[in-house]
Each structure stands twice: as C-alpha cells, then as structure tokens.
Amino acid sequence: MISKKKTTVSTVLLIVILGGLVMAVEKNELLISNFDKPGEANVWRVINDGVMGGISSSTWNIAETGAAVFAGNVSLENNGGFASVRSPVGTYDLSKYKGIVLRVKGDGKGYKLNLKTDAEFDSILYQAEFGTEKEKWQLIKLPFSKFVPTYHGFVPPDAPMLDSKEIRRFGFLIADKQQGPFRLEIDWIKAYND
C-alpha cells in the first residue's frame, strides 16, 4: 500500500515539474502586441511617400475583430511608391528569441516587417519581406537573420547587423512598385524561439 505522504510528495513534485514545463512552453513565444489595448489605433503612426512628394495614402485602424488593419493605395506618381506604419518607441530585448512570428491576412501582395534599433525618425530600418495569400490567415515566421539593414531603400555597406537586444520599434511597409489598393490585417505580433 502506498502511503498518503508519498502520494502527496509525488503529487507536489508532478505539479512542480508540469509547472516548469508550462513556463518553458510560455517562454517559446513572447507576445509583443495583439492590439487589444485601448487607443492602440492612435499610437501607431502612418508614414507615406508624401514625405518625398508622393501621393500614396494609408490608414491604420483596429477592426471589430480586434485585428489591426493597414490599408490604402500605393501610387507611383511624383516618384512615390510606398506606404508604411510604425509603432511607438518601446524597449524590447529579444536576444533570447530566434525571430518574429505574425498572424496576418493579406491581399496577395508582398509586405515588409520593419524593425528599428533606435528612436530616430530617419535612420536605418531592418527589413524582412513576406508574401501573403489573398483573404487567408497565415502564420509568417521571420528569423532575425533574415532582416536586412536598409536606408531609404538601399543597403548601406557599413551598416551593422540587427541587434535583437535593442529593438525599439516595429512597422509594416508596402513598396516595390506594387501600385493600387492594398489591405493587410495583423492579428498579433510575437517573438518566437522554436
């Protein structure tokens, strides 16, 4: 017969072990944003090619479903051709993670996830491209090793590689002569480690 004391000790040990496993599973992903905070639509900032004379337009809103919606129209007129949005400045040490995973629903066009390691308005962006399937929710994994340093669309030869310990902003961009209407829904942004 098993004593009650041994059963209790075994139960406690099992709970501790399972608790450790749950914690380990939770640490495989870190939620950066699921756009559920009040006013989230107002803190991300739209930046289009109007800063250089273009006439592309875009908006950033939170849909009734809770997903963020980046939508608008890209125009190539006046040497334009891009629309973007960026998060407010924060501090994210993601050095224990391998990259960023997104749950998105797109329109079949290509987009870029932008990361910044400083709070400056006009400085190096670290970009990773991803494609979308029209009207289909997708999980997009972007390893930090795939992020390329760019400045005004060019890769500076002396730019440092992305330091995932110093991420300050997140953003989305549509460019590359993809003129016409676009729509990208973002359900959430996470860092992943598997």
Side-chain angles (χ1 to χ4, degrees):
M1 182 174 176
I2 300 173
S3 73
K4 189 173 182 182
K5 185 175 182 182
K6 277 189 177 178
T7 304
T8 305
V9 170
S10 297
T11 303
V12 169
L13 185 57
L14 181 61
I15 290 169
V16 169
I17 289 170
L18 287 177
L21 288 175
V22 169
M23 286 177 61
V25 168
E26 288 175 354
K27 288 182 181 178
N28 278 341
E29 288 186 342
L30 174 70
L31 179 65
I32 293 164
S33 184
N34 61 358
F35 309 106
D36 66 346
K37 295 178 184 156
E40 188 100 30
N42 301 323
V43 294
W44 284 62
R45 182 175 177 191
V46 166
I47 302 168
N48 300 322
D49 56 19
V51 296
M52 48 190 269
I55 60 169
S56 296
S57 61
S58 68
T59 59
W60 175 264
N61 296 296
I62 307 301
E64 288 181 13
T65 61
V69 180
F70 174 46
N73 187 69
V74 173
S75 172
L76 304 182
E77 290 184 41
N78 299 344
N79 295 317
F82 78 87
S84 72
V85 63
R86 64 173 59 169
S87 72
V89 174
T91 303
Y92 302 90
D93 177 357
L94 303 180
S95 57
K96 294 180 180 172
Y97 297 88
K98 292 182 179 175
I100 302 295
V101 59
L102 313 167
R103 184 171 186 263
V104 299
K105 181 166 69 171
D107 51 10
K109 294 189 174 186
Y111 294 86
K112 294 179 184 179
L113 176 65
N114 293 336
L115 302 179
K116 285 182 67 69
T117 57
D118 60 44
E120 301 298 318
F121 178 82
D122 188 23
S123 59
I124 290 175
L125 291 173
Y126 293 87
Q127 299 182 323
E129 297 180 21
F130 63 94
T132 62
E133 294 181 42
K134 194 169 185 177
E135 294 300 314
K136 180 178 177 184
W137 284 105
Q138 300 170 263
L139 290 179
I140 307 288
K141 278 192 170 182
L142 301 169
F144 289 130
S145 60
K146 298 290 185 187
F147 282 82
V148 176
T150 64
Y151 184 71
H152 294 266
F154 299 97
V155 178
D158 56 348
M161 295 306 293
L162 174 65
D163 182 356
S164 60
K165 188 176 184 176
E166 298 290 337
I167 295 174
R168 306 297 304 278
R169 288 186 194 262
F170 297 83
F172 294 92
L173 169 78
I174 181 167
D176 302 321
K177 302 190 185 299
Q178 296 181 94
Q179 63 182 336
F182 69 89
R183 180 182 173 91
L184 179 69
E185 291 185 56
I186 306 104
D187 190 21
W188 45 253
I189 304 169
K190 296 178 181 178
Y192 74 88
N193 199 24
D194 60 349

